[in-house]
Every structure is written in structure tokens, then in C-alpha cells.
Amino acid sequence: MAMSILVIGECVADIVRAPAGSGADDRVHPGGSPANVAYGLARLGRDVTLLTQLADDPAGRLIADHLKGAGVRIALGGTPARTPSAVVGLDERGRATYTFDIAWTLEGGAPAGEEPGHVHIGSIAAVTAPGADAVLAETERLRARATVSYDPNVRPALMGEHGEAVARVERCVALSDLVKASDEDLAWLYPGESAQTVAARWLALGPAVVLVTLGADGSFALTRRETVTADAHPVTVVDTVGAGDSFMSAVLDTLAGRGREALEGLDAEHLAGLLRRAGTAAAVTVSRAGAQPPDRDELDAAREEFALRSGRAS
């Protein structure tokens, strides 16, 4: 039986503002970092449940239909008055900024009978009270028999006091076997420190693998034995919405079924392949509007295309 994955976290309706004077309409996309990760995993054929909150409103129904259409099972941990939303502004390079209207009050845990082999947490849900306490309690309960991953996906406007935010993030890091962050996340959390320095500090907290994405400069992986880098794939960027989440989905898909000992033992070749595959998923996503990660066929085709361009085996 295929390993099941439980993702715990928020759903958000991303309202992408049209450029001023363009005459175009705003676009509404299903979003929320954990929801995007769950969606990406389902698109890659994984057995995935999302423990989240959704209101019975147009945005909630849009998101639920989107997730279920890919095969994500939804477990509701409470029903908010309205589905969270984020107004997304895009600069001239397609980079996204967010203004949030969100509350997170998660109740309960994994559905009855759910025995996930892996748990993924992150973003707003892992640090925003009061729901963050439920997220961490459930993660602590499940990690005795499941591996854990974490993506802070920092949203400064929702992080609260800086020192407390860093402490909450580091608690999540310490619970995890694998952590992924962007260089922008790390720059906000630890101003003036290099991404490599922070990744090494996080590794000392307990994870087997720390991954850092660097935008157009690619990514790197750090374990206790290896440091591996990968270049970004050159693509025309439409927008960056969901790029990191697609990267995360591809990482979890690639590593599915590996226990803690196997993660500890990843060698340079496996890490390089992991970064290339995840980077390909992110590249496909930024080449089209919204958080639209590739399915397995699209990802395989893109890997072949990029490998041919670079003259390297995929």
C-alpha cells in the first residue's frame, strides 16, 4: 500500500491584482502554502490528506473543488466565518507580495484511522495562534511513527514580534526531519547572516536535511555529510506564486517512503537529483499563472527538456 501523507495547514484564496491601467480583471486562485503542497503531491499521484479550515462560502467552495479535483482528501478542523484570503501584488518581474485577511483556529487532529507515513507542516498555520498549538501537538503525536517536514514560508505581516517568531520557527525545525526555506525567509528571520550559516544552525537542531531555495540562483542541500548546490532552470517567469510549494511537493514525492535513517544517509548524487527535480517543478510553476504545479507527466517531460538543454542526463 502506498505511503499516505498528511499535510496540516491553511487554505487561502489568492486574489491576484491586475496591473494598474491594464484593463484586466483580478484573478482568484486557490492558495495557501500547505494547501499548495498537498495539491502538488496529489498532482504527482500521492495519497494525501489536508487537515485545514474552510468556510462554506464561494472562496471555500472554489478551493475545495480545486483540491478534490486533484485527489486531495480534505479533513476540516473547524469552520471559520470566512475563508482566508490574500491580495497578491506582482512586480514587473512577477514576484509576489501578499496582504492577508486570515484567522487560524485549528481544532482536532488527523482523521480517525489516519496513519500517515509523513507529516508536512508550515507557513501561517505553524506559527499563528491559537491554531499553531494544535498543529504542533498533532505533529509531536504523529512523529513517533511518521517522518516530518517543515517550510516556514515566512509572511512578515503575520509573524508578530520577531524574537518570538524565530523561537516558534526553531521549534518547528527541531520537530522535523527535513526543512525547506527560501533565502528570503532566512533573511527576515536572521538579518545579516548567510543562508549557509543559518542552514548549518538548523541542522544542529535535529533535521537530517535542510534545503534552501535561492530564486534565480538555484538551491542548495545541507546534511551532516554533504553540501550540494544546483542551478535554477532558465524560464520566462509569469509569476512566482506557489513556486516554493511546488519545489516542496516534488521533494516530498521524490523522498516518499524513506525513513529517518534513509534521510540521514542521502549522498551527494541523490541530493543533486533531488534539487534538480524539485527545481524543475518550481520552474514549470513560475512559467504559468498562479500556483499550478506540474503533474507527473509534465514534470518528467520538463526534466527531459531541461536535461537536453544542459546536455546532462535527467
Side-chain angles (χ1 to χ4, degrees):
M1 183 177 178
M3 183 191 77
S4 65
I5 298 173
L6 176 66
V7 179
I8 309 175
E10 75 275 2
C11 293
V12 179
D14 288 337
I15 304 167
V16 182
R17 293 293 189 215
S22 67
D25 294 329
D26 293 345
R27 293 174 283 127
V28 180
H29 296 288
S33 177
N36 290 341
V37 172
Y39 182 77
L41 283 165
R43 293 268 290 165
L44 292 170
R46 290 295 169 184
D47 179 4
V48 58
T49 298
L50 175 65
L51 175 59
T52 191
Q53 292 187 311
L54 284 172
D56 185 15
D57 57 17
R61 291 188 287 273
L62 172 71
I63 293 170
D65 289 346
H66 169 77
L67 292 168
K68 291 176 181 177
V72 177
R73 291 188 302 277
I74 299 174
L76 292 180
T79 304
R82 60 185 180 279
T83 295
S85 64
V87 176
V88 184
L90 301 174
D91 67 13
E92 66 280 358
R93 296 174 60 187
R95 293 177 301 190
T97 58
Y98 298 84
T99 303
F100 291 96
D101 177 11
I102 184 168
W104 178 247
T105 58
L106 186 72
E107 303 168 0
E114 184 83 25
E115 291 290 338
H118 184 83
V119 178
H120 175 72
I121 61 174
S123 196
I124 298 163
V127 296
T128 300
D133 289 341
V135 174
L136 295 183
E138 187 65 354
T139 304
E140 289 172 339
R141 184 182 73 83
L142 293 171
R143 75 182 305 274
R145 55 186 181 276
T147 49
V148 177
S149 58
Y150 171 58
D151 177 1
N153 193 48
V154 169
R155 297 296 181 235
L158 299 175
M159 298 297 287
E161 193 276 326
H162 184 266
E164 293 179 1
V166 172
R168 290 194 298 269
V169 166
E170 290 181 350
R171 181 182 175 191
C172 294
V173 170
L175 278 174
S176 301
D177 301 288
L178 181 145
V179 177
K180 190 237 51 162
S182 71
D183 53 349
E184 293 179 345
D185 293 334
L186 301 185
W188 186 87
L189 290 164
Y190 307 97
E193 297 193 50
S194 72
Q196 291 77 9
T197 297
V198 176
R201 184 185 307 134
W202 279 8
L203 197 69
L205 293 176
V209 185
V210 177
L211 307 175
V212 179
T213 58
L214 307 168
D217 292 326
S219 59
F220 71 85
L222 186 66
T223 70
R224 287 169 183 78
R225 296 187 298 176
E226 306 285 356
T227 301
V228 177
T229 63
D231 294 331
H233 298 298
V235 293
T236 300
V237 176
V238 174
D239 68 48
T240 61
V241 178
D245 302 325
S246 291
F247 187 100
M248 188 80 247
S249 296
V251 164
L252 297 182
D253 176 63
T254 304
L255 297 178
R258 292 178 184 264
R260 290 194 172 95
E261 185 175 345
L263 291 175
E264 291 278 1
L266 289 171
D267 60 22
E269 181 180 0
H270 283 101
L271 290 167
L274 175 70
L275 293 177
R276 287 198 299 269
R277 188 168 187 264
T280 300
V284 172
T285 301
V286 301
S287 71
R288 51 201 189 191
Q292 293 294 330
D295 63 20
R296 192 169 295 277
D297 289 343
E298 288 176 316
L299 181 54
D300 289 345
R303 291 177 68 204
E304 291 295 333
E305 178 184 349
F306 290 135
L308 287 171
R309 287 188 199 175
S310 64
R312 180 182 60 222
S314 63

